[in-house]
Structures are given as C-alpha cells and as structure tokens.
Amino acid sequence: VQAVYGRSSSVFRPLCRVPLCPDMHRAGFPPGDWTDDTDQLILILQTLVEHQGNFHGTAFASKLVDWVNGGFPELGDSCGAGLGYTTDCVIR
C-alpha cells in the first residue's frame, strides 16, 4: 500500500461517529470483534487473490461452505460465527 499511496502521516479514523446500537446480532460479538460479514469479505478477497483478480464463483462457494463448517480454524473458530439467515438458506 505504501508503495502505491505513500506513507500516511495520519491515523485512520472512523468515518462515522454514530454509536453502535446493541441488537440481537451484535450481542454475539465482543467489542472490536468482526462479524460474519467480515469473514465473508475475507473469503471474497482470498478468491480474488487466488484467481489473479478475477472472481471465480465456484471457488468462492467452496470457500463459503468450508467456512460455514469450520470457520477460520487458524483463529480458533469451529464454525462460521454469526451465519445470517439468507446466507444459510443459500448454502443449504
């Protein structure tokens, strides 16, 4: 990133200062943790990297199923935490 954009002298700050509203979905995650949306974004990025910037639907689908069944084991997951209703319906 530094090679393309140069060294940043500023600290990244949140774009929005609105406090998070605690709800049933967020209650399952400690402050500072990421959600299933973050996990799925990582899967998309992994797919893009592995396919030289091209999205490969079958590869992503395979990663998504693996994530549902095991999460990111290297982070201590045993399943995809916070799996949403829509994603669950699509996978099953």
Side-chain angles (χ1 to χ4, degrees):
V1 172
Q2 184 176 344
V4 174
Y5 296 104
R7 186 179 173 106
S8 173
S9 60
S10 65
V11 176
F12 290 104
R13 292 179 179 84
L15 298 175
C16 180
R17 301 249 186 246
V18 177
L20 293 177
C21 178
D23 59 20
M24 294 295 288
H25 181 72
R26 289 176 185 87
F29 299 95
D33 198 6
W34 61 52
T35 68
D36 58 316
D37 296 339
T38 312
D39 281 1
Q40 291 168 29
L41 176 61
I42 291 170
L43 299 176
I44 291 169
L45 293 172
Q46 287 176 336
T47 303
L48 290 170
V49 168
E50 291 170 5
H51 295 275
Q52 296 72 46
N54 297 303
F55 186 74
H56 192 276
T58 304
F60 172 70
S62 177
K63 287 180 177 302
L64 191 58
V65 169
D66 290 345
W67 171 79
V68 167
N69 294 323
F72 289 113
E74 61 273 24
L75 299 177
D77 293 348
S78 60
C79 65
L83 179 63
Y85 175 78
T86 302
T87 305
D88 184 54
C89 287
V90 169
I91 292 171
R92 308 225 188 273

